[in-house]
Amino acid sequence: MKVGLYFGSFNPIHHGHLIIANYMLQNSDLDQIWLVVSPQNPFKQSSSLLNSYNRLNLVQLAIESEPKLKASDIEFRLPQPSYTVNTLAYLQEKYPTHQFAIIMGSDSFENLSRWKNYEFILQHCPIYVYRRPGHDVVNNFKEGSITILDAPLLQISATHIRNNIRQGKSIRYLVPDKVLEEIERNNYYR
């Protein structure tokens, strides 16, 4: 099985994330997409993050009717901060019959050379890059399997959603209904 790993804080998960995941399933050779909830991204501040398990729960609620999408807490058991190369090594050992690929936006791809052991990642893991506005895909790497896709993008960000919540504005239609209900029930991001 070929599994696409879609890493993110998902703080919270929103329709933009789900559209990208579905597009990758429909327009690539990936059999499943695992939405890997990152407890701590080494490039992001953790102060605005909702608890990891609450974010995982929101992802599970968002995809519960999608059999080819899976919420993954794999990085919860690994040392912090989370480094993709460590997660890949762990997954390849745990699931030796699976082939893993990474899904990332062109903004993240621009920074790939700053990732820990990025050469290993390029040698051992195909990368699927979706274009993001203002971030051209320039592949300066001599090795690796890089696939570039034009996924439909919504101008939705988790930051915008969190700001709306703090300002008492609606986030309906930005997140799945079950995610909205859970956020409201628990007063997340207030």
Side-chain angles (χ1 to χ4, degrees), residues 24-178:
M24 291 294 175
L25 276 174
Q26 302 301 318
N27 295 282
S28 73
D29 59 349
L30 299 172
D31 300 306
Q32 283 188 350
I33 306 285
W34 292 3
L35 290 93
V36 182
V37 179
S38 299
Q40 183 187 348
N41 179 323
F43 295 111
K44 288 187 178 179
Q45 294 276 338
S46 61
S47 60
S48 66
L49 282 179
L50 187 64
N51 172 288
S52 300
Y53 290 96
N54 294 335
R55 288 183 286 123
L56 177 68
N57 181 50
L58 293 176
V59 172
Q60 290 168 332
L61 288 171
I63 64 172
E64 66 186 5
S65 63
E66 299 294 333
K68 292 186 174 187
L69 298 179
K70 176 183 170 187
S72 173
D73 64 355
I74 201 78
E75 290 193 336
F76 293 15
R77 296 183 282 279
L78 299 175
Q80 304 301 314
S82 306
Y83 292 103
T84 302
V85 68
N86 297 344
T87 305
L88 278 173
Y90 181 83
L91 287 171
Q92 288 170 339
E93 186 175 307
K94 185 169 175 144
Y95 301 98
T97 61
H98 290 18
Q99 181 184 4
F100 292 99
I102 297 174
I103 297 167
M104 69 173 66
S106 55
D107 53 338
S108 294
F109 186 72
E110 285 176 352
N111 296 314
L112 185 62
S113 62
R114 293 177 44 213
W115 290 23
K116 180 180 178 183
N117 297 345
Y118 75 92
E119 301 95 339
F120 178 88
I121 295 170
L122 282 167
Q123 291 169 3
H124 294 92
C125 190
I127 298 176
Y128 293 76
V129 181
Y130 59 91
R131 295 181 203 275
R132 298 205 50 179
H135 300 276
D136 291 333
V137 182
V138 179
N139 183 1
N140 293 322
F141 302 112
K142 293 184 175 30
E143 51 190 293
S145 170
I146 313 291
T147 303
I148 301 163
L149 295 155
D150 289 306
L153 300 175
L154 295 179
Q155 294 299 316
I156 299 176
S157 75
T159 302
H160 173 73
I161 292 168
R162 292 192 306 272
N163 288 338
N164 274 9
I165 293 168
R166 280 193 283 278
Q167 296 168 13
K169 296 178 181 176
S170 174
I171 60 166
R172 183 166 299 287
Y173 309 119
L174 299 176
V175 299
D177 289 343
K178 289 186 177 186

Side-chain angles (χ1 to χ4, degrees), residues 6-13 17 35-38 55 58-59 189:
Y6 187 8
F7 293 90
S9 300
F10 302 111
N11 190 39
I13 189 164
H17 296 129
L35 290 93
V36 182
V37 179
S38 299
R55 288 183 286 123
L58 293 176
V59 172
Y189 304 112

